Amino acid sequence: MSLKIALLTFNLDERSETFIHHHVRTLPFDVAVLHGKRLNKLRNGDYVGAPDILLAAVRRAKSMLGLPRFFSLHDRWMADWLRKERICVVLAEYGTTAITIQRACGRARVPLIVHFHGYDAYREDATALFKPEYKELFTTGDAFIGVSRHMCEQLARLGAPTEKIHYIPYFV
C-alpha cells in the first residue's frame, strides 16, 4: 500500500506554476489534490467535486467573520475528509494556502508540510494580513520548505522555528 498524501493549492490551473504540476506528477505517493475554488479531489486523473470553500471564502471570512469562526466549520469537514481518505501527510503549496488547513490537520493528527514559493514569504501585504495565522502555523506546522537560502532566512524572521525550516531549491 502506497503512502497517501494530500497536496493543497489554490492554483492548480495556473500554467505558470509548473512546479506544482511537477509535484502532482512525480511525487512517489498516492496524491490527492485539493485545489482552488472548487476544492476538487484529483487522484490518477479523476476529479470529484467538493464544496467551494477556499480562496474567495478565506478573503470573505477574514473581512466579515474573522478566520477563527469560519475555520471552525471548515476544519471539521476537512479533518473528517483527511481521516476518511487516510491521508498520512498534507503538503500545502504556499503559506497562505496552509492556513486554510492547519487546524484540520491538527484535529486529524495529520502532519502538515508547507512549501513557500515567494509572495507568501516576502509580500508585506500578505504577511501582514495573515500575521496571526502565520504565528499559529509556525507553531503547529511540522515542516517549512524555502526555495532559496534567503527565503529560509525570511521564514525564520517571520517566526518559523529554524529546526523546522528546510532548504529545497528549484532546479532548471
Side-chain angles (χ1 to χ4, degrees):
M1 185 167 140
S2 174
L3 179 69
K4 191 170 185 180
I5 71 166
L7 185 141
L8 183 72
T9 181
F10 284 138
N11 299 313
L12 185 65
D13 298 325
E14 291 291 326
R15 293 181 192 265
S16 62
E17 297 191 350
T18 56
F19 46 88
I20 294 174
H21 292 278
H22 182 73
H23 290 162
V24 173
R25 285 191 321 274
T26 63
L27 286 172
F29 310 110
D30 181 6
V31 179
V33 178
L34 302 173
H35 73 94
K37 297 174 191 136
R38 294 181 308 275
L39 189 63
N40 287 340
K41 181 175 75 168
L42 167 67
R43 188 179 300 112
N44 301 324
D46 296 325
Y47 288 85
V48 179
D52 176 1
I53 60 174
L54 281 179
L55 187 57
V58 167
R59 288 194 178 123
R60 266 193 302 271
K62 184 76 174 166
S63 64
M64 294 170 54
L65 300 173
L67 280 173
R69 199 166 119 206
F70 168 75
F71 283 126
S72 66
L73 304 172
H74 166 263
D75 293 340
R76 278 182 265 154
W77 181 82
M78 285 303 301
D80 288 346
W81 184 87
L82 292 169
R83 284 189 290 263
K84 183 179 137 240
E85 292 293 319
R86 297 183 181 185
I87 300 297
C88 296
V89 67
V90 171
L91 172 61
E93 302 286 358
Y94 294 100
T96 52
T97 307
I99 65 170
T100 67
I101 201 165
Q102 66 180 330
R103 291 184 180 170
C105 286
R107 281 181 99 121
R109 297 182 183 209
V110 173
L112 174 60
I113 300 170
V114 186
H115 196 172
F116 284 82
H117 294 284
Y119 88 91
D120 52 343
Y122 289 104
R123 277 197 37 194
E124 286 185 37
D125 58 342
T127 59
L129 178 65
F130 295 114
K131 187 174 184 171
E133 291 79 20
Y134 270 20
K135 183 177 180 180
E136 181 180 348
L137 178 65
F138 293 142
T139 301
T140 61
D142 295 279
F144 306 99
I145 299 170
V147 299
S148 70
R149 294 202 188 281
H150 189 270
M151 184 182 292
C152 291
E153 293 166 6
Q154 174 66 3
L155 292 175
R157 280 190 291 276
L158 290 172
T162 55
E163 66 275 7
K164 291 184 178 182
I165 299 172
H166 304 276
Y167 167 58
I168 303 177
Y170 291 140
F171 292 97
V172 177

